[in-house]
């Protein structure tokens, strides 16, 4: 028996990877499961994106290795996207690194910046990958608690009362998943000042800015942010391209180069046709976002009805691809979702997979049609 590396003992298989096996077994046994768990967009990308990919296949360059930094016109399209939607100026040559989804960026950034034992501030609740990647690189997760009473924003004053001397990096994610909380006007400014005071690299993971949100924000719009902040963005949710795997890292050229040093040793470029499709997506007008959001709005109304039927409460001002709902009384999230899965054949994510602060909460995905959501409501009623 060949022993695995010690680092493998620090993490568990991703919750959805495990739970979806169970859900798939139920489906295979004939149960009519409605999956409101994972946030994988079911809507189509823009048609011109699919055409660009298809045309790209015919290019004589399509099948070669591609540049480690992506096509210059892809970086240019990303720069224009940031300028148009976030009013952030980026050099297409030096301040943008296209990624195969933003998830891989979490590993690359961690490999580029973290030594064994370094502290990493991680939101609780938060996207589980921040914590598992931190552990895989041998760094130390330092969880910071978010809660509804503070609208799921970090309490920087309280954090400053703790020992931050070992902390090197802080993950933030606004609009926040799973809660849908938005950063306030001043939060990003406060975070940049905090990062400078404590010499911490802040990375804002920003894949949900355009979903049910009229005011997309980038931390890089704050003056001086490029000195201490990076930002990840993604085409997965914004353009319904989760399976294409396209994201980006933006920040100052030194930081981009550090991450490129890791990434260029990991892969050999993004498929040409995918880059051509991504360029078209990034050029979409505001019309794309309003059409997309009108679909999500209708779905969210139904998910609110579903949450009402389950006697949950929720914040109608929250944004993003999910509805984050508080269970009644002291009901435990995992017990609750197992009952609903067994009795109503509806799969919902328990808040606890995002950390202990998710206890008592569940997360509904908006990636299901209105017909499916109506069926879910009928079942739980
Ligand atoms: C908070 C957060 N960050 C990053 C990702 C990864 O997205 P991508 O598809 O760009 O890798 C997700 C995906 O669910 C997410 O919820």
């Amino acid at each position: 028996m060949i022993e695995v590396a010690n680092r493998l003992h620090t993490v568990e298989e991703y919750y959805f990877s495990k739970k979806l096996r169970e859900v798939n077994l139920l489906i295979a046994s004939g149960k009519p499961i409605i999956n409101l768990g994972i946030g994988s967009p079911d809507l189509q990308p823009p048609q011109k994106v699919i055409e660009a990919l298809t045309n790209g296949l015919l290019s004589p360059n399509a099948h070669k290795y591609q540049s480690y930094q992506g096509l210059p016109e892809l970086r240019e399209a990303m720069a224009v996207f940031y300028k148009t939607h976030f009013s952030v100026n980026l050099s297409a040559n030096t301040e943008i690194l296209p990624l195969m989804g933003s998830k891989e960026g979490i590993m690359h950034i961690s490999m580029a910046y973290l030594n064994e034992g370094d502290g990493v501030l991680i939101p609780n609740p938060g996207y589980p990958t921040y914590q598992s990647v931190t552990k895989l690189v041998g760094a130390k997760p330092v969880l910071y608690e978010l809660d509804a009473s503070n609208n799921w924003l970090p309490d920087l004053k309280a954090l400053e009362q703790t020992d931050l001397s070992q902390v090197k990096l802080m993950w933030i994610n606004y609009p926040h998943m799973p809660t849908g909380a938005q950063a306030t006007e001043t939060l990003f400014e406060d975070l940049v000042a905090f990062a400078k005071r404590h010499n911490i690299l802040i990375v804002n993971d920003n894949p949900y800015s355009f979903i049910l949100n009229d005011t997309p924000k980038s931390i890089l719009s704050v003056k001086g942010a490029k000195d201490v902040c990076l930002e990840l963005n993604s085409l997965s949710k914004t353009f319904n391209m989760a399976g294409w795997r396209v994201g980006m890292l933006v920040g100052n050229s030194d930081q981009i180069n550090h991450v490129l040093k890791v990434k260029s040793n990991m892969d050999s470029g993004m498929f040409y046709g995918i880059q051509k499709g991504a360029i078209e997506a990034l050029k979409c007008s505001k019309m794309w976002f309003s059409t997309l959001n009108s679909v999500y709005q209708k779905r969210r109304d139904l998910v609110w009805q579903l949450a009402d039927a389950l006697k949950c409460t929720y914040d109608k001002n929250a944004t993003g691809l999910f509805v984050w709902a508080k269970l009644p009384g002291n009901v435990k999230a995992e017990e609750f979702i197992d009952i609903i899965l067994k009795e109503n054949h509806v799969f919902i994510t328990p808040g606890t997979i995002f950390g202990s602060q998710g206890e008592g909460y569940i997360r509904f995905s908006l990636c299901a049609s209105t017909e499916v959501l109506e069926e879910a409501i009928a079942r739980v009623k």
Side-chain angles (χ1 to χ4, degrees):
M1 183 72 174
I2 299 185
E3 271 294 306
V4 297
N6 292 340
R7 74 174 65 85
L8 216 60
H9 301 303
T10 65
V11 292
E12 282 189 32
E13 187 184 348
Y14 199 56
Y15 172 84
F16 280 118
S17 160
K18 261 188 311 197
K19 193 74 184 177
L20 290 178
R21 261 202 304 278
E22 189 187 323
V23 171
N24 286 335
L25 277 178
L26 289 171
I27 293 170
S29 72
K31 300 283 188 293
I33 301 292
I34 292 177
N35 188 347
L36 303 182
I38 202 156
S40 178
D42 56 314
L43 299 166
Q44 292 296 293
Q47 183 57 29
K48 63 177 184 168
V49 169
I50 296 171
E51 283 161 15
L53 165 68
T54 318
N55 293 337
L57 288 173
L58 303 175
S59 162
N61 291 326
H63 309 287
K64 294 182 176 170
Y65 286 124
Q66 298 297 314
S67 156
Y68 298 104
Q69 288 165 277
L71 294 167
E73 57 266 42
L74 175 59
R75 280 183 273 114
E76 188 54 45
M78 288 171 168
V80 172
F81 179 79
Y82 253 77
K83 178 74 189 159
T84 309
H85 298 290
F86 298 111
S87 305
V88 169
N89 289 313
L90 295 168
S91 154
N93 280 336
T94 59
E95 295 185 320
I96 299 176
L97 180 61
L99 300 172
M100 294 189 222
S102 53
K103 192 173 184 178
E104 69 156 10
I106 298 171
M107 176 56 93
H108 298 330
I109 294 164
S110 302
M111 299 263 282
Y113 283 100
L114 298 173
N115 289 318
E116 215 157 292
D118 282 342
V120 180
L121 286 167
I122 294 174
N124 173 14
Y127 185 47
T129 303
Y130 309 136
Q131 196 169 159
S132 43
V133 165
T134 299
K135 289 177 179 166
L136 282 171
V137 300
K140 204 169 111 242
V142 180
L143 300 181
Y144 62 95
E145 296 194 348
L146 308 176
D147 59 59
S149 67
N150 198 23
N151 201 22
W152 310 100
L153 302 179
D155 182 346
L156 297 181
K157 285 207 178 90
L159 265 180
E160 286 190 316
Q161 303 302 313
T162 65
D163 178 11
L164 297 172
S165 58
Q166 305 301 311
V167 172
K168 183 113 179 254
L169 195 149
M170 176 180 194
W171 291 103
I172 60 160
N173 160 227
Y174 289 99
H176 182 242
M177 196 290 299
T179 66
Q182 270 271 41
T184 54
E185 285 302 327
T186 54
L187 177 71
F188 283 159
E189 283 166 23
D190 294 345
L191 278 162
V192 170
F194 171 84
K196 289 191 174 181
R197 272 199 300 281
H198 299 281
N199 200 24
I200 292 172
L201 174 66
I202 291 190
V203 189
N204 185 35
D205 183 19
N206 195 6
Y208 294 102
S209 333
F210 297 92
I211 310 299
L212 293 173
N213 177 27
D214 295 331
T215 52
K217 289 192 191 78
S218 164
I219 195 163
L220 294 188
S221 64
V222 174
K223 196 158 170 277
K226 278 191 200 166
D227 299 339
V228 281
C229 299
L230 283 166
E231 188 162 271
L232 287 166
N233 214 312
S234 169
L235 276 64
S236 294
K237 318 289 156 74
T238 307
F239 299 107
N240 301 327
M241 292 168 68
W244 289 52
R245 313 307 302 132
V246 190
M248 69 200 88
L249 177 66
V250 296
N252 81 41
S253 58
D254 286 342
Q255 291 163 341
I256 293 294
N257 276 334
H258 298 148
V259 179
L260 177 62
K261 214 165 169 180
V262 175
K263 181 171 159 61
S264 58
N265 280 294
M266 296 274 170
D267 66 64
S268 301
M270 192 192 303
F271 182 59
Y272 180 79
I274 290 181
Q275 297 192 61
K276 295 300 264 188
I279 292 166
E280 286 307 315
L282 291 161
K283 288 184 188 162
C284 280
S285 70
K286 295 220 159 121
M287 185 69 163
W288 164 259
F289 303 103
S290 48
T291 310
L292 181 69
N293 282 322
S294 67
V295 174
Y296 283 134
Q297 219 156 12
K298 289 195 189 90
R299 292 178 174 189
R300 187 173 59 179
D301 284 345
L302 289 168
V303 169
W304 285 343
Q305 288 179 37
L306 179 60
D308 290 339
L310 294 169
K311 302 198 166 31
C312 294
T313 50
Y314 44 85
D315 176 4
K316 286 200 166 176
N317 293 318
T319 64
L321 195 63
F322 305 97
V323 170
W324 179 246
K326 182 152 182 38
L327 292 165
N330 290 321
V331 180
K332 298 269 179 241
E334 294 188 21
E335 286 170 17
F336 183 85
I337 70 109
D338 277 337
I339 293 170
I340 300 294
L341 181 60
K342 205 161 131 222
E343 293 185 359
N344 304 111
H345 301 136
V346 178
F347 174 51
I348 310 162
T349 307
T352 42
I353 76 158
F354 306 106
S356 57
Q357 290 292 98
E359 184 54 280
Y361 288 85
I362 53 175
R363 190 197 75 171
F364 300 90
S365 159
L366 300 181
C367 301
S369 68
T370 49
E371 292 75 21
V372 167
L373 292 170
E374 275 159 4
E375 167 66 18
I377 295 167
R379 284 191 200 174
V380 305
K381 272 188 174 166

